[in-house]
């Protein structure tokens, strides 16, 4: 009987904790179109797989009315479970309990699962929904954040870390997601900023809405802080499950190769309907990707930020790969500051987690202009060179059409150690475009004749014929082979197979000094 | 040299910078630049037209189509008074070794075409006004 009594007591206490901030606040959360922390966890994980850790932890704060305040669960639910039968550690902030505010005990619960995730080499997922630091707990709250940032950093590149912003995430709170690998946001619900609209108004006088300042659209389109924007919470959680399917559990493992749902040797003849031989005609590189990779396997990352570059996960013959491509449809596919940072961070992620890099190149060069130069395109552009050179995973580059100047070198060329470089016969690999080159090389000749316009066109055609092709690069060994367009998929899959055991390591410096 | 003064005009407060002009016999008088700093209360966030492609309501009153990058106008596909649909190509801008389509960000009627074929434009230069 004694045992039954004790267990009944346990159940009662647990039920109280599991109710969080109470039915009233739960209803309020629902009314905003938001799920509670526990509902989110249950939706994200495989059924009945969640195990909670430290539900009983209580703060020890006695100041500012904390001594007799009830804070069930301390505003966060933490533990572990499985996603498609794979172990993940996770925490979900509970907005119904003191606005999900972060105090010492709240932070401690998060730290426990972070430590377990790192020690056991399994992915970490954070579902953020918090008003910020719990002011009542003063610097203990701040210290809690610091301990989380430190752990995010130490886990970086060892286990995948994913953040979903499912409500407010303001002030110091933003830096934990910022250090993680991917940030998901929900339209109209998620807000991320260092200082909110009220503070900005009082300090600088600027009037700006929360949505404009730190909404999902802002961070996915303009700031580049976030990687995915979804219409609701469930879509975010669904997409986290999908994203994880492309990733290994940690840096020592390779992603799963899944059963092939497409033919490895399938012809990619259809690409000829999309990519025009006339390199001045733009096209949508996403259509090219869709044709090359396994059917319906392309998961785009940062789809809205710097659309002149396209990145994402996909599969080739069931193997997880990372696609890095130029997008001729936007800004002619040029490299600029935003595209450079987007590409470089993704390349480094892929390299961290043993995911081969497939680069699809059609790049006219770097975007000219004072905005770019003064904005530091030199140091940002350098990141792409650094990231490719540093990466030791299998790297296969396909030069589809344009590959001009420094941008050609940057986009996974042989010199930054692509293992295999293929080019289509319509590729143009040269130091600069025919127009520019003809103008410089034949300047005097063009100026000295009467029919200069005609001669200029003639010189451009001559240059194009002589230099804007893949053969010179192939003669120098900078291109390993020139392939027929229809054979693209088969060649890339074959390339991946022969590189599958690539085992290359960087020097053991303390760490490199990537230009930031 | 320059001094800041607070000026009130119709109840609104401005801070102006006033610099004394020294007359020089050998030089024509140059007007020193007068910098106006708006008062804190009236300043609003000032940024370039931001194009949120979705998730945000589109301005119903019309829009300004600007050059996405520096280049030259190769072709103008729309005339004043034409009705165009969102996504329709309005101008072909030759830039970065590419004939780039500049498209309508929303449906509407062409109110003004601000460029001609052959013009060189800078990034963010106004090309077409749509209403």
């Amino acid at each position: 009987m004694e045992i039954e009594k004790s267990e009944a007591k346990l159940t009662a206490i647990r039920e109280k904790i599991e109710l969080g901030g109470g039915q009233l606040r739960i209803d309020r959360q629902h009314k905003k179109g938001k799920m509670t922390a526990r509902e989110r966890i249950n939706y994200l994980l495989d059924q009945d797989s969640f195990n909670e850790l430290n539900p009983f932890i209580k703060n020890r704060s006695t100041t500012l009315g904390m001594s007799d305040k009830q804070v069930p669960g301390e505003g966060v639910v933490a533990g572990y479970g499985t996603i498609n039968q794979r172990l993940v550690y996770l925490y979900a902030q509970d907005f119904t309990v003191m606005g999900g505010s972060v105090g010492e005990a709240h932070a401690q619960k998060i730290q426990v699962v972070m430590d377990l995730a790192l020690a056991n080499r399994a992915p970490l997922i954070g579902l953020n929904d918090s008003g910020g630091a719990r002011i009542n707990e003063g610097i203990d709250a701040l210290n809690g954040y610091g301990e989380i940032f430190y752990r995010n950093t130490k886990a970086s590149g060892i286990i995948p870390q994913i953040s979903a912003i499912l409500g407010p995430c303001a002030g110091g709170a933003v830096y934990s997601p910022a250090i993680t690998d991917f940030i998901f946001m929900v339209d109209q619900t998620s807000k991320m900023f260092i200082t909110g609209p009220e503070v900005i108004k009082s300090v600088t006088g600027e009037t700006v809405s929360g949505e404009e300042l730190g909404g999902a659209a802002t961070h996915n389109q303009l700031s580049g802080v976030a990687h995915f924007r979804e219409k609701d919470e469930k879509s975010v959680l669904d997409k986290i499950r999908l994203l994880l399917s492309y990733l290994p559990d940690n840096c020592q493992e390779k992603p799963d190769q899944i059963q092939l749902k497409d033919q490895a040797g399938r012809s990619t003849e259809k690409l000829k309907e999309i990519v025009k031989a006339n390199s001045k005609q733009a096209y949508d590189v996403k259509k090219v990707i869709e044709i090359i990779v396994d059917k319906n396997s392309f998961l785009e990352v940062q789809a809205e930020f710097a659309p002149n570059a396209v990145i994402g996960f996909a599969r080739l013959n069931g193997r997880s790969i990372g696609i890095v491509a130029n997008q001729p449809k936007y800004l002619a596919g040029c490299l600029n500051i935003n595209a450079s940072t987007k590409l470089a961070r993704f390349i480094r992620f892929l390299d961290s987690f043993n995911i081969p890099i497939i680069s699809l190149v059609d790049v006219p060069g770097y975007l000219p202009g004072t905005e770019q130069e003064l904005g530091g395109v030199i140091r940002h552009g350098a990141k792409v060179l650094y990231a490719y050179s540093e990466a030791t995973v299998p790297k296969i580059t396909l030069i589809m059409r344009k590959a001009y100047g420094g941008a050609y070198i940057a986009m996974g060329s042989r010199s930054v150690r692509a293992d295999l470089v293929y080019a289509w016969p319509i590729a143009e690999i040269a130091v600069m475009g025919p127009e520019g080159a003809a103008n410089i090389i034949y300047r005097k000749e063009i100026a000295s004749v009467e029919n200069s316009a005609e001669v200029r066109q003639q010189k451009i055609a001559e240059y194009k014929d002589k230099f804007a092709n893949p053969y010179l690069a192939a003669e120098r060994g900078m291109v390993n082979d020139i392939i027929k367009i229809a054979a693209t998929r088969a060649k890339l899959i074959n390339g991946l197979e022969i590189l599958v055991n690539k085992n290359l390591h960087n020097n053991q410096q303390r760490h490199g000094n990537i230009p930031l | 040299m320059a001094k800041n003064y607070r000026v009130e005009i119709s109840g609104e407060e401005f801070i102006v910078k006033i610099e004394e002009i020294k007359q020089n016999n050998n030089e024509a008088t140059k007007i020193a630049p007068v910098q106006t700093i708006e008062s804190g209360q009236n300043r609003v966030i000032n940024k370039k037209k931001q194009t949120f492609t979705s998730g945000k309501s589109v301005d119903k009153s019309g829009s300004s189509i600007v050059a996405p990058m520096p280049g030259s106008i190769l072709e103008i596909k729309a005339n004043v008074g034409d009705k165009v649909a969102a996504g329709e190509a309005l101008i072909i801008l030759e830039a970065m070794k590419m004939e780039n389509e500049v498209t309508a960000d929303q449906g509407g009627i062409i109110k003004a075409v601000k460029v001609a074929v052959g013009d060189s434009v800078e990034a963010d230069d106004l090309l077409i006004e749509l209403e």
Side-chain angles (χ1 to χ4, degrees), chain A residues 188 205 207 212 217 221-222 229 279-282 328 331-332 334 364 366-368 371 402 404 433, chain B residues 40 43-45 47-48 50-56 68-70 94-100 124:
Chain A
Q188 309 300 324
T207 308
E212 259 184 302
Q221 296 170 359
L222 301 174
R229 176 164 73 102
S279 69
K280 287 192 170 184
Q281 302 280 308
L331 296 177
C334 70
Y366 290 91
L367 182 67
E371 199 186 314
K402 281 174 252 176
Y404 281 112
Chain B
R43 205 188 318 165
V44 291
I45 194 159
K47 50 194 168 184
K48 276 180 199 159
Q50 290 175 347
T51 42
F52 292 92
T53 49
S54 59
K56 196 165 181 279
M69 58 184 150
E94 186 161 27
M96 298 300 292
K97 311 175 183 79
M98 185 77 82
E99 293 166 5
N100 304 277
D124 296 324

Side-chain angles (χ1 to χ4, degrees), chain A residues 10-11 15 21 33 40 56 62-63 84 123 139 141 178 223 278-279 346 352 363 435 442-443 446:
Chain A
L10 168 67
T11 306
E15 276 174 359
R40 286 166 177 164
F56 304 109
T62 53
T63 51
N84 294 321
I139 52 173
S223 73
N278 174 2
S279 69
F346 189 60
S352 293
V363 68
E435 273 91 353
Y442 305 110
R443 184 193 305 261
I446 291 170

Side-chain angles (χ1 to χ4, degrees), chain A residues 222-236:
Chain A
L222 301 174
S223 73
V225 166
H227 303 81
F228 296 94
R229 176 164 73 102
E230 303 296 330
K231 62 180 195 311
D232 55 34
E233 288 185 14
K234 286 189 173 169
S235 311
V236 164

Side-chain angles (χ1 to χ4, degrees), chain A residues 310-312 322-326 343 346-347 350 357-361 388 411:
Chain A
V310 172
I311 56 174
I323 296 275
V324 174
N326 307 113
L343 295 181
F346 189 60
I347 290 165
L350 298 172
I357 302 165
I358 305 288
S359 306
L360 304 176
V361 181
Y388 267 116
M411 285 303 300

